[in-house]
Amino acid sequence: MDIVEQEKGNNKRDLRHTVEVKEVAVKLYRWSGDVNFVLRRYRISKASLMRWNKAYDGTCASPAPKGSP
């Protein structure tokens, strides 16, 4: 294991949100309209939330990364 893999495993900022979490965060944002509440609850940036919101079209697979199968 090289040093990059070790550092990546110890980094608490390396949060990979699941597709389900992304979907729930977008639905909560659309329902409540309160950006700051969603950002605090899921500990994400506004840019991430807006990117997920733009990509979400109502299907479960839409917030998934484009490179995933």
Side-chain angles (χ1 to χ4, degrees):
M1 181 182 304
D2 64 335
I3 191 71
V4 175
E5 290 179 19
Q6 290 175 353
E7 287 179 7
K8 188 175 182 181
N10 295 332
N11 188 359
K12 292 186 179 187
R13 298 293 299 170
D14 186 30
L15 301 174
R16 305 293 165 123
H17 295 286
T18 63
V19 174
E20 292 82 15
V21 171
K22 292 178 183 181
E23 182 179 11
V24 171
V26 169
K27 285 182 178 179
L28 181 61
Y29 164 65
R30 289 183 178 181
W31 178 78
S32 70
D34 189 1
V35 175
N36 291 324
F37 175 72
V38 178
L39 299 181
R40 283 192 315 268
R41 173 171 276 192
Y42 293 100
R43 296 182 181 186
I44 57 176
S45 67
K46 185 175 180 181
S48 292
L49 179 62
M50 294 300 126
R51 184 175 59 248
W52 298 347
N53 186 39
K54 185 177 178 182
Y56 184 70
D57 63 1
T59 62
C60 189
S62 61
K66 300 300 180 210
S68 66

